[in-house]
Amino acid sequence: MFTSAGSIMVKIDDVKFADPKFATGANDFDICIHGTSVADPNQSDYARLEMSQNYGKGNFASMTQAEISMKTLRALGFEGDDLTTLKEQIYLKEVPFHVEESKPNESGKTFFNVKYIETGAAVQEIDKATVNERVKALFAGVAAKPAPAATPVAAGNPFAKKAAPAAATPAAAAPTSTGKLPF
């Protein structure tokens, strides 16, 4: 169990297959990947990857949970299609778990749950000489390219600035018996 939220670097030390926590299909299951914090071995938990035909949400709305989970497993280094070899392929790999604090339950207790495994895109580093070449090429194109002409504001544009109405002379506020301002 984790005691704080954030990106926590863990070492994968177990993989289990379980009945699904959320999915309800006859063939659905979860892949449970256990990670122990590298910084504090007293903190650990499972990340659950759903294997189902349910569609994801947000950026993953066009992919099934099985596709999303396999993408995560591939990013962790899993090769092939035999999930029974998963543990051997990713055992002791260090990866970040994204942990979030839950809302308090009925008794006021909060928990820190693994939301996902942060796999991110691999960084393809380039050397300093390549960076300098690319910067020169980028700015050489900018210098040769004229700036675009200003676009005139179209008539009837509701976002166009309008002239302020002529200021009217405000009426004097009637004094009040409380001595407070009238607004």
Side-chain angles (χ1 to χ4, degrees):
M1 187 170 180
F2 290 106
T3 58
S4 62
S7 179
I8 299 174
M9 187 60 71
V10 301
K11 190 174 283 192
I12 296 172
D13 51 17
D14 197 14
V15 174
K16 294 181 179 183
F17 302 97
D19 283 330
K21 185 173 183 179
F22 300 110
T24 58
N27 296 316
D28 299 346
F29 64 97
D30 285 353
I31 301 171
C32 304
I33 299 175
H34 190 266
T36 300
S37 171
V38 173
D40 180 1
N42 294 316
Q43 295 191 53
S44 67
D45 207 348
Y46 283 95
R48 295 179 77 106
L49 303 180
E50 182 179 315
M51 295 295 285
S52 75
Q53 292 301 311
N54 297 333
Y55 280 89
K57 296 177 183 167
N59 291 337
F60 296 102
S62 65
M63 297 173 69
T64 66
Q65 290 294 335
E67 291 170 327
I68 296 165
S69 295
M70 288 305 291
K71 183 176 179 178
T72 299
L73 295 177
R74 298 285 185 231
L76 293 176
F78 174 66
E79 295 176 353
D81 296 324
D82 185 1
L83 286 174
T84 63
T85 66
L86 177 61
K87 183 176 180 177
E88 292 78 25
Q89 291 188 44
I90 64 172
Y91 187 69
L92 299 181
K93 182 170 281 226
E94 290 187 14
V95 296
F97 275 8
H98 182 82
V99 178
E100 292 182 4
E101 185 175 1
S102 69
K103 292 180 182 175
N105 63 13
E106 301 82 34
S107 63
K109 184 164 175 62
T110 58
F111 297 91
F112 294 92
N113 303 312
V114 179
K115 287 297 182 181
Y116 55 87
I117 300 172
E118 297 177 9
T119 55
V123 175
Q124 298 294 325
E125 190 171 357
I126 56 176
D127 60 55
K128 291 178 183 178
T130 303
V131 171
N132 286 334
E133 288 172 16
R134 290 183 185 183
V135 168
K136 286 179 188 174
L138 284 169
F139 286 104
V142 171
K145 188 176 180 182
T151 306
V153 176
N157 181 346
F159 301 108
K161 289 189 177 184
K162 296 178 182 167
T169 307
T176 61
S177 61
T178 62
K180 294 183 180 178
L181 296 174
F183 53 99

